Amino acid sequence: MIQSLVSLKLLPGLNPATKTTSGRGWPTRNVVERGGGGIGTRRRCANVREAKATSSSLPTPPDSDRDRDGKVEGEEGASSAAASFLFRSQTYAMLKQQMAVAAKFEDYKEAARIRDSLKFFEEEEPALHLRKLMRKAVEDERFEDAAKYRDELKIIAPHSLLKCSSDATTLGIRVQVRSVYIESRSHPSKGQYFFAYRIRISNNSQHPVQLLRRHWIITDANGRTENVWGAGVIGEQPVILPRTGFEYSSACPLSTPSGRMEGDFEMKRIDTVGSPTFNVAIAPFSLSIMGDDTDGLL
């Protein structure tokens, strides 16, 4: 089960603080749920020939049946690949944490051993390899190859196609997001993964606006989805004047090493009495212990 979203003010560098706000209490959940030779030998051979003849004389299944069976097998294969990636991600997270612990207690020999294991993992991990191949294919304008690598990634690690950042503009209001994995607050052995994200809201319109409510859709690596609503952000309902912005940091715990978030902010113009509210999109972004190819925060 996805853990409830935690709204936190973070210290510089995205170190989570202890202050929390829960909006209207616990979030509403909307979980989407998946002997030897001789006569005996000749007799057995004859039986095999009869069985082959009988099999070849059976009617061929209709195309629709074969298509359906193929689709089921394909779905099972995709599910197995995704589960394998999830397991490898959990292993990767535990190795990173073990290396940090070894270094903390000055067991540098063990830390070096785990570091080498991590490097080997990063070189051999199919999702990371495919991502590099896809990026190189795009750079070389080999778009057919890029499409092939992308389709393979969709099967084994769909969340890896999303970047850990997003950027969307609605009615002149721009929302930029960047997420990062907080290893020090995570416990992979207990299935607890902690992600922080920073949001920048820029008002590029001609009207002052106020952020009234937030809505998040959080999906984990198992496909379980949770909707979270709350008043404002980090305990505020900020007013954002034209050509200015508002930034804040918050966090989201997950029970899997990857997932995604998206949502919207409900806002209203405050320079006109009775003006209706409107929703500003927060484009999808990834939560991933492996990050992506973009370094740094906003």
Side-chain angles (χ1 to χ4, degrees), residues 127-238:
L128 295 176
H129 183 60
L130 284 169
R131 204 159 68 185
K132 291 178 181 177
L133 289 175
M134 185 173 69
R135 185 175 69 252
K136 185 66 167 63
V138 171
E139 291 174 356
D140 297 341
E141 298 184 359
R142 294 182 288 107
F143 300 120
E144 295 83 1
D145 290 340
K148 180 183 68 175
Y149 300 140
R150 179 200 59 204
D151 291 343
E152 292 182 38
L153 272 171
K154 283 182 180 179
I155 294 174
I156 67 171
H159 289 300
S160 69
L161 289 170
L162 269 181
K163 288 188 175 294
C164 295
S165 60
S166 71
D167 190 336
T169 299
T170 306
L171 299 176
I173 310 300
R174 183 181 184 185
V175 179
Q176 299 167 276
V177 190
R178 174 71 184 169
S179 69
V180 64
Y181 175 57
I182 305 298
E183 188 176 330
S184 61
R185 294 290 301 274
S186 301
H187 302 281
S189 61
K190 299 179 181 179
Q192 298 172 0
Y193 304 88
F194 199 83
F195 298 91
Y197 56 90
R198 186 162 184 81
I199 293 186
R200 175 186 294 163
I201 305 171
S202 303
N203 184 357
N204 297 323
S205 75
Q206 302 299 318
H207 307 274
V209 298
Q210 183 175 20
L211 194 162
L212 302 176
R213 279 172 285 277
R214 68 186 184 277
H215 170 218
W216 285 110
I217 304 170
I218 309 166
T219 307
D220 71 8
N222 292 318
R224 289 189 287 257
T225 298
E226 184 176 11
N227 284 268
V228 179
W229 291 268
V233 292
I234 58 169
E236 301 179 36
Q237 291 182 315

Side-chain angles (χ1 to χ4, degrees), residues 12-49:
L14 286 176
N15 294 319
T18 57
K19 179 181 178 182
T20 64
T21 58
S22 58
R24 295 179 290 183
W26 291 106
T28 302
R29 296 178 180 237
N30 177 19
V31 181
V32 179
E33 319 279 307
R34 189 190 112 148
I39 296 174
T41 301
R42 289 195 297 272
R43 183 173 297 146
R44 285 195 296 273
C45 291
N47 289 339
V48 170
R49 286 195 297 272

Side-chain angles (χ1 to χ4, degrees), residues 97-108 110-111:
Q97 189 170 62
Q98 289 167 6
M99 182 178 69
V101 171
K104 179 179 179 180
F105 288 96
E106 300 184 0
D107 188 351
Y108 299 126
E110 177 65 7

